[in-house]
């Protein structure tokens, strides 16, 4: 089911629950026919070979984001650890917002994270729309048993009659209509004989319940809309709170893990399953819903509505914009599946909501890439350095480790010459205190090359320094006996101008200036960071072959990835995934 090796499991309340259920044999005799279905189907099965069944049930109305990654890693990871199955199920019950594009993108991201939905010979990829027939059959059974009725109130009237947290709701005038009449109206709804909003099917529970979710919730609403899979076959669609428990039960899910916002829905989840089991539509043991804290990350928004607004209004360049917290955006920026899994592992699983600082995600990427990323030098803000006493037209080879953590990775080759590119910040005409890099009269080491002494500089008509002059000390080349003969405090990177590769570098930063951009009634658009993407023309070491998705650590600068959509060896375009260390607070 997973191609990801499971790390040493850290105990949490979900693992404790699973282990208790396994020890007590709660699901040991659960029947499974090898496919989803009601009691009539599952009775044909044998004891389920999967010790547990979990599910990841996204709605295909947008792209997955970092919050979904936690649920993916949790559900697929637990199933893998306990010799179970995890289903990928698309909750496609809202035809007006769902598209095949999102289905394809979700499948792509789950696979990219390293998971799949196969268990033994099962391919557990499912769609809620496959169960519309079963759901409707169950709805008729509830009506006939007196557990549901057709209401003719408008949505606004239902809302007004619902009551408040301190006041009970009021019964609908149609709450006690005969089952035969409700059944006839339900069939007319199914057959398209009524307009949107004119009728709905409600559960008959308790309008005085202290839990508002139990006050006769709506099960079906009329929507004359084309579904991305079923077309115009249906014009009534189940509400999520009704569909969710039914889908879990049809698929034989043992542990339905949800985020805390669904905690208040759990009594209705259980009510639905218990009523359907009483009607012999479902078999025991029934699924069990358990809630955990969702992932709240600082400096991002994860609401699909708000992400869609950012995309549609052109604040970002599509769902895979590297500034977005979508998994597609994080992948394009340079995040690895291993880094995201490591991040989710470090978060753990709790019952208490908290907000995780964005720096925790960045550090997971650094920890993943540092041992494996090849090193290179890039100059992002180039300033010409001329070694005036080095022969014109000459060059000599230099080398550096491809990765200092991995000697087997070998070395990378480049050359030293008369004209070099250095970072503009590595020179000061009038240096501040404790500045140890280039300034007139000072010596520094050109990393992997020679020690040089600054002898002067050239300015343009605007008074800007456009060229720095220096002389090299011939017997001080790195790796030679004379390398330590002269002591210097400064050490700067460089590339040979004669062989440097020109590249477009996109310096991505946090999309929002505020850590909680959508808290309360804030206008999250007003908190956008105008400098979240800066584009510079840089010079790269010649060892770089910028094939899409390739990643390097640029010394002193951070981790950079060749853009998956636009980069090529002929025209490199690189994205900064993250800096070498967290400097956000110091820079803002």
């Amino acid at each position: 089911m997973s191609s990801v090796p499971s790390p040493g499991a850290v105990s949490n309340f979900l693992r404790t629950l699973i282990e208790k259920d396994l020890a007590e044999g709660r699901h040991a005799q659960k029947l499974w026919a090898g496919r989803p279905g009601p009691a009539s189907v599952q009775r044909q099965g044998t004891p389920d070979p999967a010790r547990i069944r979990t599910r990841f049930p996204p709605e295909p109305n947008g792209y997955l984001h970092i919050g979904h990654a936690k649920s993916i890693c949790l559900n697929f990871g637990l199933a893998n650890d306990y010799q179970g199955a995890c289903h990928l199920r698309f909750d496609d019950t809202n035809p007006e917002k769902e598209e095949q594009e999102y289905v394809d993108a979700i499948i792509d991201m789950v696979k990219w994270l390293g998971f799949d939905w196969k268990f033994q010979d099962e391919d557990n990829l499912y769609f809620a729309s496959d169960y519309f027939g079963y759901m409707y059959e169950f709805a008729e059974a509830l009506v006939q048993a007196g557990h549901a009725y057709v209401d003719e109130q408008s949505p606004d009237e239902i809302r007004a009659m619902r009551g408040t947290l301190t006041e009970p709701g009021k019964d609908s005038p149609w709450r006690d209509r005969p089952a035969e009449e409700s059944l006839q109206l339900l069939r007319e709804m199914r057959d398209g004989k009524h307009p949107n909003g004119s009728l709905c099917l409600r559960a008959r529970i308790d309008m005085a319940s202290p839990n508002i979710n139990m006050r006769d919730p709506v099960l079906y609403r009329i929507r004359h809309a084309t579904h991305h899979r079923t077309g115009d076959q249906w014009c009534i669609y189940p509400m999520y709170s009704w569909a969710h428990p039914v889908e879990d039960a049809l698929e034989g899910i043992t542990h339905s893990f949800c985020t805390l916002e669904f905690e208040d829905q759990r009594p209705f989840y259980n009510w639905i399953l218990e009523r359907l089991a009483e009607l012999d539509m479902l078999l025991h043991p029934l699924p069990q819903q358990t809630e955990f804290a969702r992932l709240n990350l600082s400096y991002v928004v994860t609401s699909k509505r708000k992400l869609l607004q950012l995309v549609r209004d052109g604040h970002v360049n599509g769902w895979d914009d590297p500034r977005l917290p979508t998994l597609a955006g994080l992948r394009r920026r340079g995040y690895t599946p291993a880094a995201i899994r490591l991040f989710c592992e470090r978060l753990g699983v709790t019952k208490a909501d908290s907000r995780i600082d964005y720096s925790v995600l960045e550090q997971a990427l650094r920890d993943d890439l540092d041992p494996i990323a090849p090193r290179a030098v890039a100059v992002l803000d180039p300033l010409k350095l001329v070694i005036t006493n080095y022969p014109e037209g000459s060059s000599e080879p230099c080398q550096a480790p491809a990765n200092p953590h991995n000697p087997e990775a070998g070395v990378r080759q480049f050359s030293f010459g008369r004209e070099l590119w250095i970072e503009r910040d590595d020179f000061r005409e009038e240096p501040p205190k404790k500045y140890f890099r280039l300034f007139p009269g000072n010596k520094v080491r050109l990393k992997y090359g020679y020690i040089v002494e600054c002898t002067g500089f050239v300015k343009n008509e605007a008074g800007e320094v456009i060229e720095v002059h220096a002389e090299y000390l011939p017997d001080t080349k790195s790796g030679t006996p004379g390398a330590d003969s002269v002591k210097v405090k400064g050490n700067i990177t460089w590339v040979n101008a004669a062989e440097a590769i020109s590249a477009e570098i996109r310096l991505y930063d946090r999309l929002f200036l505020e850590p909680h951009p959508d808290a309360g009634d804030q206008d999250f658009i007003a908190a956008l960071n105008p400098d979240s993407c800066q584009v510079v023309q840089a010079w790269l070491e010649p060892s770089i072959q910028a094939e899409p998705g390739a990643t390097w650590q640029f010394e002193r600068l951070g981790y950079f990835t060749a853009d998956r959509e636009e980069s090529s060896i002929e025209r490199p375009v690189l994205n900064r995934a993250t800096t070498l260390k967290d400097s956000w607070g110091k820079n803002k």
Side-chain angles (χ1 to χ4, degrees), residues 267-574:
F268 181 55
Y269 180 100
N270 293 335
W271 184 90
I272 285 292
L273 297 182
E274 289 161 3
R275 299 294 81 75
L276 291 174
E278 290 169 359
L279 296 171
D280 198 33
M281 311 299 280
L282 299 176
L283 294 182
H284 286 279
L286 299 169
Q288 178 181 3
Q289 177 177 305
T290 308
E291 303 81 24
F292 63 93
R294 66 182 297 171
L295 169 59
N296 298 302
L297 192 64
S298 66
Y299 295 101
V300 303
V301 296
T302 53
S303 157
K304 286 183 179 177
R305 176 180 61 82
K306 293 174 181 176
L307 290 172
L308 183 60
Q309 182 179 343
L310 290 171
V311 172
R312 286 186 173 171
D313 293 351
H315 297 293
V316 295
N317 300 315
W319 286 100
D320 65 346
D321 188 295
R323 293 167 291 181
L324 287 180
T326 59
L327 295 182
L330 290 169
R331 176 174 67 176
R332 188 169 179 184
R333 183 163 176 163
Y335 276 79
T336 63
I340 293 176
R341 294 195 303 266
L342 177 61
F343 170 66
C344 293
E345 178 190 341
R346 287 175 173 175
L347 295 181
V349 182
T350 69
K351 272 280 195 181
D353 267 330
S354 61
R355 191 172 288 268
I356 307 301
D357 193 80
Y358 196 88
S359 61
V360 179
L361 175 61
E362 293 175 318
Q363 189 57 48
L365 180 62
R366 296 185 191 105
D367 290 344
D368 177 53
L369 289 179
D370 183 52
I372 60 175
R375 271 41 172 184
V377 170
V379 178
L380 305 188
D381 188 7
L383 177 62
K384 181 68 69 69
L385 173 64
V386 179
I387 311 300
T388 56
N389 64 335
Y390 196 85
E392 290 191 34
S394 296
S395 66
E396 59 185 282
C398 296
Q399 65 180 31
N403 185 315
H405 300 299
N406 181 15
E408 294 182 2
V411 297
R412 59 190 205 267
Q413 305 286 341
F414 47 92
S415 68
F416 184 86
R418 180 181 172 88
E419 295 188 356
L420 313 174
W421 293 113
I422 62 170
E423 290 287 349
R424 186 169 297 276
D425 193 48
D426 284 339
F427 171 79
R428 287 287 189 275
E429 181 181 353
E430 296 180 0
K433 289 184 178 180
K434 297 185 178 180
Y435 184 86
F436 301 121
R437 284 166 278 172
L438 277 175
F439 57 86
N442 194 45
K443 297 183 181 69
V444 299
R445 175 170 292 284
L446 299 178
K447 195 172 184 181
Y448 311 121
Y450 291 96
I451 291 175
V452 299
E453 180 177 358
C454 182
T455 58
F457 53 90
V458 177
K459 290 184 175 182
N460 61 15
E461 294 180 356
E464 301 168 327
V465 176
I466 59 172
E467 190 172 284
V468 176
H469 292 172
E471 294 183 354
Y472 83 112
L473 282 58
D475 296 327
T476 61
K477 187 177 181 181
S478 295
T480 68
D484 297 326
S485 61
V486 178
K487 301 297 182 183
V488 294
K489 294 183 177 180
N491 196 331
I492 67 175
T493 50
W494 53 276
V495 293
N496 187 342
E499 63 181 11
I501 299 172
S502 177
E504 178 181 306
I505 304 289
R506 296 169 181 173
L507 301 174
Y508 288 109
D509 212 328
R510 301 182 188 188
L511 185 56
F512 294 96
L513 294 171
E514 298 291 334
H516 315 310
D518 57 349
D521 297 325
Q522 291 186 83
D523 176 11
F524 74 104
I525 297 297
L528 283 168
N529 177 8
D531 298 321
S532 60
C533 179
Q534 299 182 58
V535 179
V536 300
Q537 293 299 315
W539 293 103
L540 311 180
E541 184 180 304
S543 65
I544 292 177
Q545 300 289 306
E547 296 178 351
T551 297
W552 298 266
Q553 184 198 101
F554 288 164
E555 298 189 26
R556 299 172 60 201
L557 298 175
Y559 294 93
F560 292 74
T561 296
D563 189 88
R564 290 177 173 271
E565 300 297 326
E566 300 180 40
S567 185
S568 66
I569 294 175
E570 296 76 23
R571 184 183 174 274
V573 177
L574 284 84

